[in-house]
Every structure is written in C-alpha cells, then in structure tokens.
C-alpha cells in the first residue's frame, strides 16, 4: 500500500497559473493526496472564489521567501510523503503515483522526477548531480525505471524543486529548508545535506511535470532576469557552506562567468541592452555581498502536522478520453474535451494540420491535454523532420506514445 502524500505548492502573484496547477493535481491517479497551497492574501481570495478553499489547505504568506514558504507548507502537511511542485508547472496524471513508488523501499529518503520544458516534448531537467560550488552535472540513468543512489558529498543527487518528494520524517530531521535561500538553491542545499548524511535518494524518470518558467518579479516570461540579487546571495550562502575555504573564490569566479555569459546571450538576442547588463551585474554583486553576511537561524519542523489530512483525491482511476481532430475542428473538439474533463476523465486532444510543423504538448487551463502540430511533422525531436502517414495513422501513433509516457493503459481510452 502506498503512503499518503501531501503536495506543497508555493505561489506569489500568479493566480491563474496556480489555478491551472491545482486543476491538474485534482486529476492525479491512484493516490491518496492532499494539497497545501502557501500563497498571498489576494491568491487566497481568488482560490476561494473558484471553490478551492474547501478542497485544499491554504496557508497565508505574503513574504517572498521560497524556503520559508516551503517550511510552512511542511508544517501543514499531514501526509507521510511531502512532494513539491511549482505554481507554473503541471504534473502528468500518474506523476505522484510513480514518485511514491520509490518510497516502497524504506531506506529511500527523497525522490525526484524528470521535468519537461515549454514545448511539452523536450526535457528541461533530467537526472543531475550537484557539487560544492553549486554546479550541476548530467547523470545518465535508464528512462523507464527507478534508480537509487547512495548520496555522498562528492556525488549529491540534485533534487529538482518543481518535482521532488521527501519522507516527512526526513524533513523534520533536516529541519526543512534553509531560509537564507529566498529564491534559489534551497532545493540544492537540502540535496547536499542529505548527501552529507549519507541518505539514499531515488530518481524516477517516469514521474514527469511540465514546467513553463512563467514571468515573475525576478524574470520575464522569456527567462530574461530583472534582478540577480537573490541568485547572487544564494550562491554566496551555498559556496560558504560547502566549498573548502580555498575554493570559494574560484567558485565565485565560475558563477560570475556563467552569469556574464547568460547576460551577453540575452543582449545578443536583443532582449536587453548594455545598460541593463550593467544594472544586473550590480544587483549580482550586491547579492553576493549580502549572502556572505547571512547567518543561519534556528528553525524547527514539528513532528505532528498542524492539521489533519484533507484528501483532494483518493485513488482516482479515471477513464482516458482521446480525441483526434483537424485544425478546423478545434472549437468543437475543445468543447468535447472540456465536457470529458468535467465528467472526471483524462482528456487528451491530438490536433493536426496538413503540415510538417513540430509538435507541442500542453495542459489547457480548461483541464485537458492538447498536442498540436503537423500530420507529417515530428513530435519527439529525435524523429525525422518529415514522416509520410495519414491523419488517422498519426493520431493512433501519438495516442500510443502519450499513453506510454503517461503510464496510462491505452486500452482504457475513449475515442
């Protein structure tokens, strides 16, 4: 029997995306799950108007500090496992079910999955390790099975903040997240602490979320930074904790070079000008200075949650409803998908045009999944640029592929 789970979502100023994330979480399959939302006054008002207040746990927080927010979420979480997802991400229907399978092994302290990017096809993050300088390194693992690692100081498995889960007892033991990381590296810091404690961590590639990198007070919707202050501060805290004193300066130089390359790339694309590059460098320098002076504070995660478990889903097993359509049928089929989602079905639309356009895959605000592209275009980026096939054959092929990747039984599909 799988353990109960709490999913913590931290959100500031993105009410529409938060509502979309909650809609996708309500469609999670085969799990007993509650959702804890740590958010602002305005978002709580918005969720109350949408009817979510009676379905999820709402924790009020107007301060912008992701580590503190996650700790407040843990305090409210009553599940044996506490998972985390960002408000600008959506989970695939079997995400939590697959992530929880790792915890069937009692020695597993934490688990992380794979994350898809904006197009819903290509990966944003797969398996990685992180070193004492905060630099990530790719790690090769099988895509279709759970891999378990004995984390160590030289091989810390990187837990991805928008797709990770922990035993609640481990979070209590580790005193949760470090509040000095207000925006960046809070998940990596916890990865390092688990490594130093010699805990076992699982990578579950099949447990996937789609992450949009939405606009915020710190970056635009195209990932152009508005400030590097908190990134710089978090980097300084991280290096001060984990780098050997003789390596801290080198770590800072690597960080500065990485950020400079990033800014120059944005300038070359025309997204920012030289003056903005200069300003962003100033914010980075100020952040680095601040981070070096930040001191640890006492914090405690209570062993007992603040409130009883409040199930959002209880072992749902929904029918999967597939719809294939040509681009001129989109309005009619979209309504059918909305009706299917309202009837507690997992609705997936394959919308194809008579072109060789690349495919995109996303979760619609109305509660259904939609893949769009050309009949002869490629979905997986490893496929040929042009594939000769009929409309119906392509729809069937994509239904099979999505069913496999969603870990849903294609025989349950509607048409």
């Amino acid at each position: 029997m799988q353990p109960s789970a709490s999913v913590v979502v931290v959100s500031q100023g993105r009410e529409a995306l938060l509502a979309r994330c909650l809609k996708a979480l309500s469609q999670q399959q085969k799990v007993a799950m509650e959702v804890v939302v740590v958010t602002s006054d305005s978002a709580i008002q918005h969720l109350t108007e949408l009817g979510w207040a009676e379905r999820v746990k709402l924790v009020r927080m107007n301060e912008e500090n992701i580590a503190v927010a996650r700790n407040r979420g843990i305090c409210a979480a009553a599940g044996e496992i506490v998972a985390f997802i960002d408000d600008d991400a959506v989970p695939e229907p079997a995400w939590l079910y697959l992530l929880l399978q790792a915890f069937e092994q009692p020695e597993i302290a934490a688990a992380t999955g794979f994350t898809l990017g904006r197009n819903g096809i290509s990966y944003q993050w797969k398996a990685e390790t992180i070193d004492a300088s905060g630099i990530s390194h790719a790690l090769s693992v099988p895509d279709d099975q759970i891999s378990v690692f004995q984390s160590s100081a030289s091989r810390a498995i990187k837990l991805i903040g928008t797709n990770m889960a922990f035993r609640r007892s481990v979070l209590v033991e580790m005193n949760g997240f470090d509040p000095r990381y207000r925006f960046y590296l809070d998940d990596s810091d916890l990865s390092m602490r688990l490594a130093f404690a010699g805990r076992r961590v699982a990578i579950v590639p099949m447990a996937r979320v789609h992450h949009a990198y939405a606009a915020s007070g710190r970056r635009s919707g195209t990932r152009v930074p508005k400030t590097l202050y908190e990134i710089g501060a978090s980097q300084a805290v991280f290096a001060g904790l984990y780098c050997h004193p003789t390596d801290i300066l080198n770590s800072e130089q690597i960080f500065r070079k990485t950020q400079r390359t990033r800014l120059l790339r944005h300038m070359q694309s025309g997204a920012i000008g030289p003056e903005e590059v200069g300003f962003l460098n100033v914010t980075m320098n100020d952040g680095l200075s601040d981070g070096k002076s930040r001191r640890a504070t006492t914090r405690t995660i209570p062993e007992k949650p603040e409130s009883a478990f409040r199930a959002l889903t209880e072992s749902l097993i929904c029918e999967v409803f597939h719809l294939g359509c040509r681009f001129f049928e989109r309005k009619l089929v979209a309504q059918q998908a909305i009706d299917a989602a309202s009837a507690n079905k997992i609705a997936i639309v394959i919308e194809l045009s008579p072109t060789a356009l690349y495919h995109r895959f996303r979760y619609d605000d109305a509660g259904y999944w939609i893949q769009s592209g050309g009949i002869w275009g490629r979905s997986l980026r490893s496929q040929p640029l042009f594939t000769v096939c009929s409309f119906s054959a392509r729809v069937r092929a994509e239904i099979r592929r999505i069913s496999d990747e969603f870990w849903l039984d294609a025989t349950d599909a509607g048409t």
Side-chain angles (χ1 to χ4, degrees):
M1 181 177 178
Q2 283 191 327
S4 61
S6 302
V7 178
V8 174
V9 187
V10 174
S11 182
Q12 285 288 338
R14 300 196 292 215
E15 285 87 352
L17 289 172
L18 174 58
R20 184 188 67 158
C21 178
L22 293 179
K23 180 67 174 177
L25 284 169
S26 73
Q27 296 173 345
Q28 288 296 290
Q29 301 295 291
K30 304 178 184 179
V31 290
M33 176 193 74
E34 68 171 6
V35 174
V36 181
V37 180
V38 185
T39 192
S40 63
D41 292 331
S42 60
I44 286 177
Q45 178 63 34
H46 182 67
L47 292 179
T48 300
E49 293 170 358
L50 294 177
W52 286 105
E54 301 303 317
R55 303 183 65 193
V56 304
K57 293 180 177 178
L58 296 173
V59 178
R60 193 179 307 274
M61 179 173 164
N62 294 301
E63 176 189 359
E64 291 193 15
N65 185 317
I66 194 167
V68 171
R70 282 175 169 161
N71 286 343
R72 292 190 184 179
I74 298 165
C75 292
E80 299 166 72
I81 306 300
V82 181
F84 296 87
I85 188 170
D86 291 347
D87 61 357
D88 60 349
V90 290
E92 293 182 349
W95 167 65
L96 191 57
Y97 171 75
L98 294 164
L99 208 55
L100 290 178
Q101 287 187 346
F103 294 95
E104 293 176 4
Q105 302 179 53
E107 72 275 13
I108 299 300
T112 191
F114 279 12
T115 303
L116 293 153
R118 288 179 182 275
N119 63 24
I121 302 288
S122 304
Y123 283 103
Q124 191 176 92
W125 292 303
K126 297 181 82 173
E128 296 180 347
T129 60
I130 190 162
D131 64 26
S133 294
I135 298 172
S136 300
H137 307 273
L139 177 65
S140 178
V141 298
D143 286 349
D144 58 353
Q145 64 187 56
I146 297 172
S147 297
V148 177
F149 294 87
Q150 180 76 47
S151 238
S152 67
S154 60
R155 189 183 176 87
I157 302 302
K158 184 176 180 180
L159 298 161
I160 303 300
T162 193
N163 188 354
M164 61 184 182
F166 305 81
R167 293 192 188 277
R168 192 180 189 281
S169 59
V170 170
L171 291 170
V172 170
E173 176 189 332
M174 296 283 170
N175 291 319
F177 295 86
D178 188 333
R180 287 176 288 182
Y181 302 95
R182 298 172 187 166
F183 164 64
Y184 177 64
L185 290 177
D186 61 306
D187 45 6
S188 296
D189 172 78
L190 193 46
S191 301
M192 291 296 287
R193 284 189 277 140
L194 287 171
F196 276 96
R199 306 304 293 265
R200 294 177 73 81
V201 175
I203 297 174
V204 190
M206 310 86 71
R208 308 193 315 175
V209 302
H210 296 238
H211 187 226
Y213 269 132
S216 70
R218 297 183 181 90
R219 67 172 181 242
S220 72
T222 55
R223 298 182 64 184
V224 177
K226 299 177 183 178
T227 174
L228 293 177
Y229 188 94
E230 288 300 340
I231 289 178
S234 293
Q235 176 65 30
V237 172
F238 192 91
L241 286 172
Y242 300 113
C243 279
H244 188 276
T246 58
D247 294 330
I248 291 178
L249 179 59
N250 182 57
S251 171
E252 183 176 312
Q253 290 173 340
I254 293 172
F255 173 74
R256 288 179 183 276
K257 181 179 179 181
T258 300
Q259 295 304 317
R260 183 167 60 249
T261 300
R262 175 189 180 194
L263 295 180
L264 290 176
R265 186 171 62 248
H266 285 307
M267 188 174 71
Q268 289 168 352
S269 71
I272 55 176
E275 298 84 1
E276 291 162 297
V277 170
F279 167 75
L280 289 167
N281 274 318
V282 169
T283 65
M284 177 180 64
N285 292 334
D286 290 347
L288 284 165
S289 297
D290 180 17
K292 292 172 185 176
S293 65
R294 291 183 182 179
R295 298 291 176 259
T297 56
T298 302
R299 63 189 187 279
T300 303
I301 304 295
E303 290 188 18
K304 292 187 178 181
E306 295 173 341
S307 55
F309 190 85
R310 181 189 295 178
L312 175 64
T313 65
E314 291 191 59
S315 300
L316 291 178
I317 303 178
C318 297
E319 178 186 351
V320 183
F321 189 74
H322 294 113
L323 290 160
C325 75
R326 294 172 173 81
F327 69 99
F328 55 84
E329 301 171 310
R330 63 179 58 163
K331 288 186 178 180
L332 172 63
V333 170
Q335 186 58 56
Q336 291 176 322
I338 292 170
D339 293 342
S342 299
N344 206 31
K345 298 178 182 180
I346 303 298
I348 302 171
V349 174
I350 310 295
E351 179 189 302
L352 301 177
S353 61
T355 67
L357 289 173
Y358 285 17
H359 288 213
R360 299 179 64 85
F361 191 51
R362 63 181 177 84
Y363 185 77
D364 191 87
D365 292 351
Y368 64 92
W369 295 88
I370 177 167
Q371 180 170 319
S372 58
I375 297 172
W376 311 297
R378 61 184 181 183
S379 50
L380 297 179
R381 298 319 189 232
S382 58
Q383 292 174 340
L385 286 171
F386 191 94
T387 301
V388 178
C389 62
S390 66
F391 169 82
S392 58
R394 188 59 190 270
V395 169
R396 287 194 299 270
E398 294 306 319
I399 285 174
R400 286 194 299 270
R401 183 186 65 79
I402 294 170
S403 296
D404 288 344
E405 292 185 351
F406 270 24
W407 292 78
L408 299 171
D409 188 348
T411 61
D412 292 340
T415 57

